[in-house]
Amino acid sequence: MMRNLLIKLLFSSIAIILVAKLLPGIEVTSALGLIAAVVILGLLNVFLKPLMVILTLPFTLVTFGLFLFVINGLLLYLTAAIVDGFAIANIWVAILASILISIVTTIVNWLAKGH
């Protein structure tokens, strides 16, 4: 259980680093900032995201689920506002970054399983 959590944190860290290198407007200035960002983002995804999804369900249904990208971007932007050493220029960069982080995390997970 703890091993799986650490692996997920590692994969999320890799994804954030790669996206920060690829996308202007995201800055990770320290390892501690990266770790804090991954932990805070994980906590926000566990506790705040379900509430946001329920409250915005009509928008999510009308947009065929695409509004979930906005929610993910908002959570990422909120994480950057909370954590020193992790910065995002604006909400649009955060939304694009959340999409790219999801893609990178999926690829890293897929590669780690030996496919």
Side-chain angles (χ1 to χ4, degrees), residues 58-74:
F59 294 113
T60 304
L61 293 174
V62 168
T63 62
F64 300 106
L66 294 176
F67 195 75
L68 291 173
F69 291 126
V70 175
I71 292 172
N72 289 339
L74 287 169

Side-chain angles (χ1 to χ4, degrees), residues 7-50:
I7 290 171
K8 286 183 180 185
L9 290 175
L10 176 66
F11 288 169
S12 295
S13 298
I14 292 169
I16 289 174
I17 290 170
L18 288 174
V19 171
K21 297 287 183 192
L22 294 172
L23 190 63
I26 299 179
E27 189 174 347
V28 179
T29 58
S30 69
L32 186 59
L34 175 65
I35 293 167
V38 169
V39 170
I40 296 295
L41 184 59
L43 291 172
L44 289 174
N45 277 325
V46 167
F47 294 108
L48 188 57
K49 186 176 180 177

